[in-house]
Structures are given as structure tokens and as C-alpha cells.
Amino acid sequence: MPPEEEHHVVVHLDKLLADRGMTLTELADRVGVTIVNLSILKNGRARAIRFSTLSAVCRELGCQPGDLLGYDS
């Protein structure tokens, strides 16, 4: 199995949560995913995200996918 390729995708979940005064636990409850999975996403260690999860996060945070994810070359 080849080593994992470095990626440059950054996740702005911390900032969005802080801007909305929401905790990761509250978001996890609203979205219906585990806090562990959201924590993995928040820390940039996620290898994938389902569109349904991305849609639910954006719905609850009132944001667009581009507000949540960025690219840092």
C-alpha cells in the first residue's frame, strides 16, 4: 500500500463554530454524526466526507462548503 499523499485542504470548522457560538458537541447532535468523526474533520485528518454530512454541517452552520473547506498550497 503506498504511503498517504500529503494534502493541502484546510478545514475552517473551529472558526465557523466560534463565530456562531456553537460547540462541536452541539453540532454533532444537530448533524447526527459522532463527535469523534467531526473532531477528525476539524483537525484536518479526515480522508473523506460524505456529501450528506457536508450538506448537514453547512445547513446547521448557515454556510457554504467553500466557507468550511479551503486549499492552502
Side-chain angles (χ1 to χ4, degrees):
M1 189 157 130
E4 287 199 31
E5 187 175 317
E6 182 181 346
H7 72 81
H8 299 276
V9 174
V10 292
V11 181
H12 305 289
L13 189 53
D14 274 337
K15 181 179 180 345
L16 291 169
L17 288 170
D19 289 349
R20 285 146 180 85
M22 187 183 300
T23 66
L24 194 63
T25 302
E26 184 179 355
L27 181 61
D29 289 342
R30 289 182 178 196
V31 171
V33 298
T34 67
I35 192 168
V36 171
N37 283 340
L38 278 185
S39 181
I40 289 169
L41 175 64
K42 179 180 75 96
N43 294 322
R45 295 189 323 253
R47 294 175 49 154
I49 183 171
R50 292 178 186 210
F51 282 163
S52 59
T53 301
L54 180 60
S55 295
V57 168
C58 288
R59 178 189 70 234
E60 294 302 325
L61 293 177
C63 69
Q64 295 293 313
D67 299 328
L68 182 64
L69 303 173
Y71 180 79
D72 182 19
S73 58

